[in-house]
Amino acid sequence: MGQEAEVSGTVTNMEGDTLTGASVQVVGSVIGAVTGIDGHFQLGVPPGRIRLLASYIGYENFDTTLDVSNTDREIDLHIMMTESFVDMGEVIVYGRRASGQAQALRLQQSAITQQTVIHSELFNKYPDITLAETVQRMPGVTITRNRGEGELVQVRGLPEQYTAISLNGQRLPAVQPEADRAGSLDIIQSNLVEQVRVIKARSADMDADAIGGTVDFRIRQPERQFEVLVQGGAGTNFGFDRADDVNTGIAQGAVVLNSELSDEQVYGLLAGSFFRHARGNRMQRYDYGEDGVTGRSISRVRPVDTDRITSKTGLIGAVELRPSIYNRLRLSYNYSAIDEDVYMRETNFGAIDSGFENRITSRWTEERRLNMVALEVENNFAKTQLSYALSFASTGERLINRQRAYNLVESGPSPEYTEEEYRNLTPFDTKYADQEIPRQSTEQQNLDLEEDIAIGGINLTRYLNVARTSFLRVGARYRIKERNYQEFFVRDDNPGAGSVQGGAFANLGGEDPLVEQPDLSDGPNYFAGEKIAAAYLMFVRNWNAKLSTSTGLRYEYTDIDYELTQSGLADSSSYSDLFPSFNITYRIRRDRQFRFAYYSAIARVPYSTLVPTADFRERRQARIDVFSVGNTDVDPTYSNNFDLVFERYGRNDGLISIGAYAKFLENPTVRTATYESVNFQPTFGYSLVNTENARLLGFELGFYQNLAFLNQGLRFLNLNGNLNFNRYRLENNSSEGSTLAQAPRRSANLSLVYSNPKQRLNLVLAGNYRSSTLDHLQDGQPVWINAVISLDLAADYELFKEISAYARLNNATDHRSERYIGKPDEDDSLLLSTTNYGIWGVVGLRWRPE
């Protein structure tokens, strides 16, 4: 067999304007490319008679046949396309690096369902570390933060447990013992990801448990084009740090190697990333009444000072085989890890006239791991495509020897504080400056949580016409989730030694753990599993140049079981459902279209919630003084969803989208917290309960616009942003303030991007806003989180050819995170806590040879 020939050329319209993002494909194969900003394409083809098809939204297809001889090495081809309204439906394309954000928008425009797609070409300009921070800049998306960093994603104004999270189309397990299904995204670093899709309307070939939507992250994959990337940076944080042995610096590094391995049939990728961040924060907490939320007077002030050293490591490897132009096989592996060393100092001061003082020192190591292996296979035939995938993902979280020392004085003479002095006490203040405070008790806790997901799926697509604009697709999917929870806890109430001077804290680094090698088999442990079998049928058709539809029905069978390790108590339950979906796209012209969607969806009950608890103080969480409490009476949440959106695609990859949506939820859930004093320490048991049926009406606006239309002098400026409004109403509750928990009413972000290739400079100023949000109910009282505004800055400058310098400044506003009893903006609300995380920044160098 002869070697491949190189076919290259340009794609233009009849006026001679180049078309960016046009698809050029060898029909019946996986060989294809998309044109770059200059309209140029390049691809390798085998000898023989091949059919070449070029397509672009709003233009007639260009269809030609080439006879490639064994001696041909280079073939020049100029393609001129005629404008029309023809849409090509699904097109398999490769060459992502060359296409970037332009192709991302083309994929978004021609997709079956409504979605937003962004490429790393765009989001790598932003100062984001976690994937949650990346997607917060997309229409309809908000995030929650943990320790000042983005962690959980919410789509369409719904709580995070209503959003499905996947990596390369495969669902991710959750790494947290809390009673929800939210996937934590702080474990995967954004510089290992190539593309992000937020899919807001479901089709039949997608999992049904996505009421809010699906966020799919595509990690870097092997490509034809050789690529090398090396970058490293260092910085510091300006947060609170009181530990002398903590280095408060930041270290960052990344390496990417992408290459052809064997005669254009085998391609390989290896990429790694590292991020170390030493950071502190200061928290001030207040309790009211006997249960922390009742009464108007402060019953306890609890200032906390924390130092946290976080190391994040990421590694991805992939091999792609292309044995023929009809077949493709990809094997990929992803490893992500977070290691944290935490040192916490907390002082509980009793009422203003009380001598009570409890000084608590905590120190521990926390490890989180994600391992994922995926096999994806695609076979293309004349009118049929067969694809199937297998994946296995395992996550684990371990708390290693969390030690806590309590030094307590229950009563004694109290200094006379003013109200302001009392409210602003720090952990290092004391009522007993001239005496030692005895050790009351010492605790040790270990926790081991592991969750595994195994998924197998197959899809068969039968094209109904030569142009592949209409097809019938059937498929099946089987998903198994298993969770093992183990914990160890011991307390010594007669330590005998360990007193500290007033204002000081115990030196746990110099103390041995109570038990050197704890046995986790005797705790309130459990095993839980979930099996989901699904099958679907979907029909997609382009009826004419303007109208396309997708109709489908999905069946899912769910089986849940659990077993308590110690008692042997076990139970299981099962149910099945049908989920219809309908999507329609109407094109006014090639750059403007309406989309409408209806679909039903489900949010299954977290199986950890369905495992009963015998005692309040079972199932400790990674968060300190917090427990998960089971509730076997919780029902799944169902939803009927309606979406309407208008999209306008402009020049220079511009986009304006305006959407409205309605969601009708049956049996939505809310988190509840119960207060209890354990060892003189306020402790909370969190559970999940169903609440009244709810209705959500929402509006979203998204735009990505180059400002050259105002003035050519502004051609290097882009304005990116989105705005979301949500209105909630609980059934049988006409109150204006009725709302869903953890669901923001308003959110927005606005970014100004300056990108000037002549000056070799990129600047980004990015701001985000999230309105106040109901978090949970604590002993019947609503606890709200305040509105938050964050500002991040980024700069990149090419020093020399292939070498760039970059700088990032995060959380420039240092906005406080606050919790209130009642709405924060109401006069009768009470402040429960306030936390500052500080500003941090990093500078570095990047080497990327062409």
Side-chain angles (χ1 to χ4, degrees):
M1 180 180 291
Q3 296 182 354
E4 288 188 350
E6 181 181 284
V7 178
S8 61
T10 57
V11 180
T12 67
N13 60 18
M14 298 300 292
E15 289 73 35
D17 298 325
T18 58
L19 299 180
T20 301
S23 168
V24 183
Q25 184 190 8
V26 177
V27 176
S29 76
V30 296
I31 297 177
V34 291
T35 57
I37 194 170
D38 57 355
H40 185 265
F41 71 92
Q42 179 179 317
L43 56 123
V45 299
R49 187 176 180 84
I50 65 169
R51 180 182 167 203
L52 206 64
L53 185 70
S55 62
Y56 190 80
I57 299 297
Y59 286 80
E60 290 184 357
N61 294 341
F62 178 91
D63 195 340
T64 188
T65 300
L66 298 177
D67 288 313
V68 182
S69 70
N70 289 319
T71 58
D72 284 331
R73 290 295 173 263
E74 294 183 358
I75 301 174
D76 293 324
L77 179 67
H78 175 67
I79 299 174
M80 185 177 296
M81 305 187 72
T82 304
E83 188 170 357
S84 75
F85 287 108
V86 175
D87 177 51
M88 274 305 299
E90 287 199 338
V91 178
I92 305 169
V93 296
Y94 292 89
R96 291 178 295 267
R97 182 182 172 195
S99 58
Q101 184 59 21
Q103 176 62 10
L105 287 177
R106 300 297 171 257
L107 291 173
Q108 175 179 324
Q109 186 177 9
S110 60
I112 295 172
T113 60
Q114 182 195 348
Q115 55 187 264
T116 303
V117 184
I118 61 173
H119 191 271
S120 59
E121 176 186 79
L122 176 62
F123 63 71
N124 278 349
K125 296 178 181 178
Y126 286 81
D128 303 327
I129 295 299
T130 70
L131 288 182
E133 293 167 355
T134 297
V135 299
Q136 71 177 327
R137 312 189 191 283
M138 305 174 74
V141 179
T142 56
I143 67 171
T144 64
R145 293 180 178 269
N146 185 20
R147 309 161 194 143
E149 293 183 359
E151 182 183 29
L152 303 176
V153 174
Q154 301 172 325
V155 176
R156 287 283 172 83
L158 289 171
E160 54 266 17
Q161 62 265 30
Y162 296 156
T163 298
I165 305 296
S166 62
L167 191 68
N168 284 10
Q170 306 301 308
R171 293 294 291 272
L172 287 179
V175 190
Q176 50 195 17
E178 289 92 336
D180 60 46
R181 289 179 176 267
S184 178
L185 292 179
D186 60 340
I187 194 171
I188 302 175
Q189 298 181 65
S190 61
N191 55 13
L192 295 179
V193 175
E194 182 171 280
Q195 187 184 92
V196 181
R197 297 189 186 193
V198 177
I199 306 169
K200 303 169 188 174
R202 193 182 61 78
S203 56
D205 55 348
M206 299 170 58
D207 290 333
D209 48 348
I211 292 178
T214 299
V215 181
D216 183 33
F217 299 95
R218 298 281 168 169
I219 61 174
R220 288 176 174 267
Q221 296 295 336
E223 298 180 5
R224 295 173 178 270
Q225 199 164 358
F226 180 77
E227 178 187 14
V228 174
L229 170 66
V230 178
Q231 73 176 44
T236 188
N237 83 85
F238 308 98
F240 300 96
D241 174 65
R242 296 292 296 268
D244 296 335
D245 59 342
V246 172
N247 174 12
T248 59
I250 298 171
Q252 182 183 45
V255 177
V256 177
L257 178 60
N258 208 333
S259 178
E260 176 188 36
L261 300 179
S262 174
D263 194 23
E264 298 194 5
Q265 290 188 337
V266 183
Y267 302 86
L269 168 74
L270 184 64
S273 182
F274 176 78
F275 182 74
R276 181 189 183 277
H277 193 180
R279 197 177 194 187
N281 67 271
R282 175 72 53 76
M283 176 184 290
Q284 199 80 350
R285 297 192 288 192
Y286 307 100
D287 295 335
Y288 299 84
E290 294 184 359
D291 58 6
V293 294
T294 58
R296 305 292 303 179
S297 299
I298 297 177
S299 59
R300 193 186 306 235
V301 175
R302 298 189 285 141
V304 184
D305 191 274
T306 304
D307 288 299
R308 188 182 301 268
I309 304 176
T310 304
S311 296
K312 299 182 180 183
T313 306
L315 177 66
I316 56 175
V319 175
E320 185 166 308
L321 307 180
R322 300 176 189 173
S324 73
I325 62 175
Y326 306 106
N327 306 295
R328 177 173 62 90
L329 181 149
R330 179 187 298 151
L331 180 65
S332 59
Y333 171 71
N334 177 78
Y335 170 81
S336 296
I338 295 182
D339 294 283
E340 292 189 312
D341 292 317
V342 186
Y343 182 24
M344 180 182 293
R345 299 157 294 271
E346 175 180 358
T347 303
N348 291 350
F349 297 99
I352 191 169
D353 57 352
S354 165
F356 179 90
E357 183 174 318
N358 190 9
R359 309 189 68 82
I360 306 170
T361 312
S362 304
R363 190 164 191 156
W364 71 92
T365 297
E366 181 176 352
E367 297 178 351
R368 287 190 284 163
R369 299 289 185 269
L370 166 65
N371 285 276
M372 182 174 179
V373 179
L375 174 67
E376 302 169 86
V377 180
E378 182 181 294
N379 303 110
N380 288 276
F381 307 98
K383 289 188 177 182
T384 305
Q385 182 189 81
L386 176 65
S387 63
Y388 47 93
L390 299 171
S391 70
F392 176 79
S394 177
T395 57
E397 179 175 33
R398 298 177 63 209
L399 290 184
I400 302 173
N401 294 336
R402 178 149 71 185
Q403 298 170 265
R404 302 189 76 190
Y406 296 83
N407 291 79
L408 173 68
V409 176
E410 293 188 51
S411 62
S414 177
E416 293 185 2
Y417 293 119
T418 66
E419 182 70 22
E420 182 177 359
E421 290 173 336
Y422 177 60
R423 295 179 64 93
N424 292 291
L425 288 169
T426 75
F428 305 95
D429 291 323
T430 182
K431 297 179 179 181
Y432 304 98
D434 299 326
Q435 72 179 69
E436 289 192 346
I437 300 178
R439 176 77 62 91
Q440 188 252 355
S441 62
T442 305
E443 295 177 351
Q444 179 183 338
Q445 174 194 347
N446 291 65
L447 186 150
D448 198 337
L449 171 69
E450 182 176 319
E451 182 169 290
D452 301 327
I453 294 184
I455 303 175
I458 186 169
N459 302 285
L460 178 65
T461 303
R462 179 67 176 178
Y463 293 99
L464 305 179
N465 55 8
V466 176
R468 295 192 171 195
T469 57
S470 299
F471 58 86
L472 187 69
R473 178 175 293 167
V474 296
R477 188 174 173 95
Y478 189 61
R479 186 170 81 200
I480 302 175
K481 296 177 65 176
E482 294 182 344
R483 169 178 286 204
N484 280 286
Y485 175 86
Q486 291 185 306
E487 75 168 62
F488 170 85
F489 177 78
V490 63
R491 180 166 65 224
D492 181 2
D493 289 323
N494 299 289
S499 296
V500 298
Q501 189 69 31
F505 290 88
N507 179 21
L508 292 179
E511 297 185 17
D512 294 328
L514 297 177
V515 178
E516 286 291 345
Q517 295 182 334
D519 182 5
L520 276 66
S521 63
D522 293 330
N525 306 330
Y526 68 86
F527 164 84
E530 178 182 76
K531 302 177 182 67
I532 300 174
Y536 73 89
L537 173 64
M538 183 172 72
F539 173 64
V540 177
R541 179 167 181 177
N542 290 324
W543 298 91
N544 52 46
K546 294 187 175 182
L547 181 65
S548 301
T549 60
S550 165
T551 307
L553 186 66
R554 187 178 185 89
Y555 168 81
E556 291 194 351
Y557 171 81
T558 306
D559 180 82
I560 299 176
D561 62 275
Y562 70 83
E563 180 179 356
L564 299 179
T565 305
Q566 293 300 312
S567 66
L569 178 66
D571 197 5
S572 63
S573 60
S574 62
Y575 52 89
S576 58
D577 300 284
L578 288 173
F579 300 98
S581 62
F582 176 71
N583 294 270
I584 180 171
T585 300
Y586 181 78
R587 304 171 195 87
I588 305 173
R589 45 185 287 184
R590 77 174 172 83
D591 61 346
R592 301 175 188 181
Q593 62 188 29
F594 280 98
R595 292 184 183 271
F596 172 79
Y598 161 76
Y599 65 96
S600 63
I602 185 176
R604 293 180 176 86
V605 180
Y607 43 50
S608 58
T609 295
L610 295 176
V611 180
T613 49
D615 184 80
F616 175 89
R617 284 163 285 186
E618 286 188 356
R619 297 188 206 144
R620 293 165 174 83
Q621 297 186 10
R623 290 185 296 160
I624 211 159
D625 300 317
V626 174
F627 299 83
S628 291
V629 179
N631 181 4
T632 58
D633 296 325
V634 184
D635 295 320
T637 300
Y638 291 91
S639 176
N640 286 300
N641 310 270
F642 300 86
D643 295 272
L644 178 65
V645 66
F646 169 75
E647 298 173 332
R648 185 184 187 279
Y649 293 85
R651 294 173 181 263
N652 299 313
D653 301 333
L655 169 67
I656 296 177
S657 65
I658 303 173
Y661 46 92
K663 297 180 181 293
F664 300 89
L665 289 87
E666 177 185 344
N667 295 324
T669 55
V670 62
R671 284 197 313 160
T672 63
T674 303
Y675 176 100
E676 186 172 309
S677 179
V678 178
N679 199 28
F680 298 99
Q681 175 71 358
T683 306
F684 300 93
Y686 281 87
S687 186
L688 205 65
V689 299
N690 291 116
T691 186
E692 297 173 292
N693 294 346
R695 180 188 68 197
L696 164 64
L697 302 178
F699 166 83
E700 69 178 29
L701 169 67
F703 53 89
Y704 177 74
Q705 184 62 55
N706 183 273
L707 300 184
F709 75 98
L710 295 175
N711 186 296
Q712 272 301 110
L714 302 177
R715 64 187 181 279
F716 301 122
L717 283 176
N718 285 284
L719 193 64
N720 309 335
N722 66 67
L723 182 65
N724 299 93
F725 290 97
N726 298 300
R727 181 180 178 87
Y728 308 92
R729 180 58 55 87
L730 301 182
E731 192 174 282
N732 302 320
N733 190 337
S734 60
S735 170
E736 182 65 26
S738 64
T739 186
L740 290 173
Q742 300 167 287
R745 290 177 173 270
R746 297 175 301 279
S747 63
N749 73 66
L750 185 65
S751 304
L752 186 64
V753 180
Y754 176 81
S755 183
N756 189 334
K758 294 182 179 180
Q759 296 180 355
R760 302 176 296 180
L761 179 65
N762 288 285
L763 299 173
V764 177
L765 178 66
N768 287 274
Y769 166 78
R770 173 190 167 103
S771 67
S772 58
T773 307
L774 175 66
D775 185 56
H776 66 275
L777 300 178
Q778 182 174 323
D779 288 293
Q781 297 291 319
V783 175
W784 286 70
I785 302 173
N786 68 316
V788 175
I789 298 175
S790 62
L791 183 66
D792 304 311
L793 298 93
D796 292 81
Y797 180 71
E798 186 179 1
L799 299 172
F800 312 100
K801 184 180 179 181
E802 302 176 349
I803 299 178
S804 301
Y806 66 90
R808 306 287 188 260
L809 186 68
N810 292 73
N811 196 31
T813 52
D814 194 16
H815 201 105
R816 287 195 304 270
S817 174
E818 298 172 340
R819 292 177 182 268
Y820 289 84
I821 303 168
K823 286 188 176 181
D825 54 354
E826 294 182 350
D827 294 337
D828 60 347
S829 62
L830 296 175
L831 180 64
L832 276 178
S833 69
T834 177
T835 309
N836 282 85
Y837 295 98
I839 305 168
W840 60 275
V842 62
V843 295
L845 294 175
R846 181 186 297 111
W847 176 55
R848 189 170 191 170
E850 296 295 335

